[in-house]
Amino acid sequence: MEVKIGVQHAPREIVLESNERPEDVESAVGKALQSSDGLLSLTDERGRRVLIPADKIAYVELGAQSERRVGFGAM
């Protein structure tokens, strides 16, 4: 699933591919916004962790699950 995170005062959004379910990502964002430390932690499909201060999050966009295409072909 593609996750796009807009950060305040940043010209580009953060885009990552996650293996987590949309409900889990939504829950993590909600907990980060309500927690005392206010840190959103997500892991992408390659195991890299992305940490974002919750007070700097402008928006979070959750994309649909995308299947990997293999080979060449007409789209």
Side-chain angles (χ1 to χ4, degrees):
M1 168 186 64
E2 182 179 68
V3 180
K4 293 182 183 179
I5 303 169
V7 180
Q8 295 175 8
H9 310 297
R12 295 178 50 190
E13 59 196 10
I14 297 171
V15 180
L16 63 111
E17 288 289 330
S18 176
N19 292 329
E20 297 181 37
R21 298 179 312 148
E23 297 83 17
D24 295 338
V25 174
E26 185 176 350
S27 174
V29 171
K31 287 179 184 176
L33 292 173
Q34 295 176 354
S35 71
S36 61
D37 67 351
L39 188 65
L40 174 61
S41 174
L42 296 174
T43 305
D44 73 359
E45 62 184 11
R46 295 181 181 159
R48 296 179 292 196
R49 290 184 59 195
V50 177
L51 304 171
I52 305 163
D55 62 340
K56 300 297 181 193
I57 296 174
Y59 64 89
V60 177
E61 181 180 317
L62 304 177
Q65 291 285 79
S66 60
E67 295 181 20
R68 297 275 182 192
R69 295 185 181 178
V70 178
F72 301 97
M75 295 182 141

